[in-house]
Amino acid sequence: MPELPEVEVLRRSLEPRLVGRRIAGVTVATPALREPLDRATLEERLLGREVTALRRRSKYLLIDLVGGPSEPPPSTLVVHLGMSGRLTVVPDDEPPARHEHFSCRLAGGGRLRLVDPRRFGVVLALPTAGLDRDRHFAFLGVEPFAASFDGDHLRRAARGRRGPVKPFLMDARVVVGVGNIYATEALWRAAIHPRRSVGRIGAARWDRLAVAVREVLADAIAQGGTTLADFTDGEGNAGYFQVSLAAYDREGEPCRRCGAPLRRFVQAGRSTYFCPACQR
DNA sequence: CGTAGACCCTGCGCGC
DNA sequence: TGCGCGCAGGGTCTAC
């Protein structure tokens, strides 16, 4: 469910509600997420600490923490929402929700909780120092809003590789944060066929694609993300970029550029939508 | 080596 | 109304 824009929207909404707050309690209700939750480590690295900042790397939300009884080194709560995760702050008297697998009680009131029906999410606590050498982050590629992400980056990354451009664009070693929706949308914006081989894309097309990726992500962030079923920000608000989707989930509907009916097919196990007339 | 497919899990919408 | 099927925004592992 959440790609980069949704995690960024979540980060921005939670930041003012969490920075400066202290974690007074940790509850692990369901350890069996994509990776088992380690209650002892979570307690050790979270309890009694104060939130200093919220960051994002790829589709991971990073909640930085300092302090605690024994002056421990800074730690970071890492949360990945998987497909169906929702992270929100709710009042203390809010009863535990179905699929509320993990929560932190905040000193002074409120509870940060993860609700995740499909349990593809990840929650872990790591030392802040050396975070990017952790296995979850060590092999991640460039952030799409970094200065180094451009057509040239894509062109060089594609060198020596084969296969269609859409799975390439979704490969986090190439560029992070671009999932099925935004890969579909970026290719539509750049008028590139999702099946086009990466070996048959010239510099001009790579440039166009890099611009399209950045634009579609920025537009989605500005509109609060895409809510297909269950994405919300940290206060429970839905996004509304779904009304701006030009290709995703629009099989049979007219292309907004040329009017031809959009088509759907399955690529690398995921639904892909494209305009057979103007995406080449 | 890189790429394709299965798999993890629950919920929902659809067709019968 | 009820049931079974297919599908869903992610990532990782195995098999070629």
Side-chain angles (χ1 to χ4, degrees):
Chain A
M1 98 150 56
E3 303 183 31
L4 183 150
E6 289 72 37
V7 181
E8 181 60 24
V9 165
L10 177 67
R11 188 193 71 76
R12 292 179 189 185
S13 72
L14 283 177
E15 191 167 48
R17 314 197 66 178
L18 291 182
V19 170
R21 307 294 300 280
R22 193 166 53 80
I23 294 179
V26 171
T27 302
V28 176
T30 317
L33 301 196
R34 194 175 85 220
E35 296 174 20
L37 267 66
D38 181 345
R39 161 202 276 273
T41 304
L42 286 165
E43 285 186 351
E44 181 195 324
R45 292 186 175 148
L46 301 181
L47 265 182
R49 309 204 185 199
E50 189 176 304
V51 177
T52 57
L54 271 68
R55 296 180 289 149
R56 180 193 55 72
R57 172 71 170 119
S58 185
K59 298 168 188 169
Y60 292 90
L61 182 69
L62 309 176
I63 302 177
D64 289 328
L65 301 154
V66 296
S70 57
E71 305 271 324
S75 60
T76 299
L77 173 60
V78 177
V79 179
H80 193 293
L81 300 178
M83 293 277 260
S84 59
R86 296 164 77 149
L87 192 66
T88 51
V89 175
V90 296
D92 286 322
D93 58 6
E94 178 89 9
R98 188 162 156 77
H99 305 303
E100 180 175 324
H101 307 311
F102 169 83
S103 65
C104 293
R105 192 160 51 80
L106 303 171
R111 177 165 100 248
L112 175 70
R113 74 172 182 192
L114 176 72
V115 175
D116 181 9
R118 293 180 73 182
R119 291 195 262 133
F120 290 168
V122 171
V123 176
L124 61 156
L126 298 169
T128 307
L131 199 68
D132 46 7
R133 267 158 288 153
D134 178 82
R135 67 184 174 87
H136 295 85
F137 307 103
F139 300 103
L140 291 179
V142 65
E143 287 282 336
F145 292 117
S148 60
F149 176 71
D150 56 14
D152 234 40
H153 170 81
L154 291 174
R155 189 175 51 81
R156 286 194 304 267
R159 212 173 273 160
R161 293 183 54 147
R162 294 171 299 114
V165 61
K166 190 190 170 227
F168 170 80
L169 196 56
M170 292 174 66
D171 186 337
R173 294 168 300 182
V174 175
V175 57
V176 300
V178 183
N180 198 33
I181 291 183
Y182 298 111
T184 298
E185 292 297 306
L187 288 165
W188 182 86
R189 287 196 188 202
I192 297 171
H193 196 296
R195 272 204 196 99
R196 175 169 280 269
S197 164
V198 295
R200 303 194 46 184
I201 295 181
R205 262 180 219 262
W206 284 126
D207 288 345
R208 236 196 296 153
L209 184 55
V211 169
V213 165
R214 238 190 244 185
E215 285 182 353
V216 73
L217 296 178
D219 288 354
I221 291 169
Q223 293 177 58
T226 297
T227 299
L228 292 184
D230 47 18
F231 169 73
T232 68
D233 69 11
E235 300 179 355
N237 305 306
Y240 49 97
F241 189 72
Q242 59 276 12
V243 303
S244 301
L245 295 175
Y248 186 83
D249 205 21
R250 295 193 68 235
E251 181 181 16
E253 293 176 52
C255 174
R256 291 190 181 145
R257 195 164 36 217
C258 76
L262 299 183
R263 290 221 199 116
R264 170 189 180 272
F265 69 103
V266 175
Q267 186 176 33
R270 314 217 103 103
S271 284
T272 296
Y273 305 84
F274 73 106
C275 174
C278 64
Q279 284 178 255
R280 307 258 100 168

